[in-house]
Amino acid sequence: MRPSVALRALRRDDADLVLAFELDNRAWFARHVSDRGDEWFERFGAHFEADLADQAAGTCAFHLMLDDEGRVGGRFNLYGIEPGSARVGYRVAQRIAGRGRATAGLVELCRIAAREHAVHHLSAATSDLNVASTRVLLKAGFIAVGAADPADLGGKTGREYRRDLANE
């Protein structure tokens, strides 16, 4: 049985929580996806403000999964929202990885995309080396549809995935 999770929209007062999540898990994330780089962390405030602006404009929607202590356990995001479609991105903290939380969060993000953003299909990409992320996508109902652009994966080869949301 998949764990139940709640996602909530990113808020202005989440900056410190998000930065702590990213810093605490930086090495863990870098083992699976391209590292954000020192510049991203040095300019975190500007990046965070840009995310809030994109969210306010309706082109992106950022969500947090919080644990019982109020720490960020995962980020689940919609990018490039346009009529009927969006891309997804997600990352979970090392401390909760392997417990079904990423899959549950992604499934919840699919519901949010359909209900709150009128999205009919979602797409995602993951590198061939990121087996855990591939497993999450497949368990969440995504299907492989072809090769991903290596430019979207930090130069790595990978697959593009899609999920139709007709039944959400």
Side-chain angles (χ1 to χ4, degrees):
M1 186 169 128
R2 187 177 298 137
S4 173
V5 299
L7 302 181
R8 73 155 173 79
L10 185 70
R11 303 184 310 218
R12 182 164 303 284
D13 62 344
D14 290 329
D16 291 340
L17 287 172
V18 171
L19 181 57
F21 168 78
E22 294 289 346
L23 286 169
D24 290 348
N25 293 283
R26 185 177 182 183
W28 161 253
F29 294 147
R31 293 195 335 230
H32 305 283
V33 295
S34 298
D35 184 55
R36 293 190 186 279
D38 292 337
E39 182 276 336
W40 188 88
F41 288 94
E42 291 165 6
R43 296 184 31 82
F44 172 78
H47 292 293
F48 189 81
E49 288 299 321
D51 286 349
L52 289 174
D54 288 344
Q55 183 165 272
T59 59
C60 295
F62 302 99
H63 299 84
L64 301 179
M65 175 193 301
L66 301 176
D67 64 19
D68 293 338
E69 291 83 42
R71 296 178 303 165
V72 176
R75 298 181 68 185
F76 296 85
N77 305 314
L78 299 171
Y79 299 96
I81 299 171
E82 48 188 49
S85 68
R87 292 191 63 77
V88 301
Y90 53 90
R91 49 181 56 202
V92 297
Q94 182 177 9
R95 71 182 187 279
I96 67 166
R99 299 181 188 163
R101 307 284 299 210
T103 301
L106 185 54
V107 168
E108 180 61 19
L109 184 66
C110 291
R111 288 187 194 111
I112 290 168
R115 293 177 185 162
E116 296 180 18
H117 301 283
V119 169
H120 306 296
H121 70 268
L122 291 170
S123 59
T126 190
S127 78
D128 293 331
L129 299 174
N130 194 342
V131 176
S133 190
T134 298
R135 209 168 27 242
V136 166
L137 287 166
L138 294 173
K139 286 181 179 181
F142 284 76
I143 59 168
V145 294
D149 183 344
D152 294 336
L153 299 171
K156 299 172 186 164
T157 60
R159 296 266 156 251
E160 186 75 25
Y161 294 84
R162 180 180 166 125
R163 177 169 172 192
D164 292 321
L165 303 176
N167 297 324
E168 295 299 320

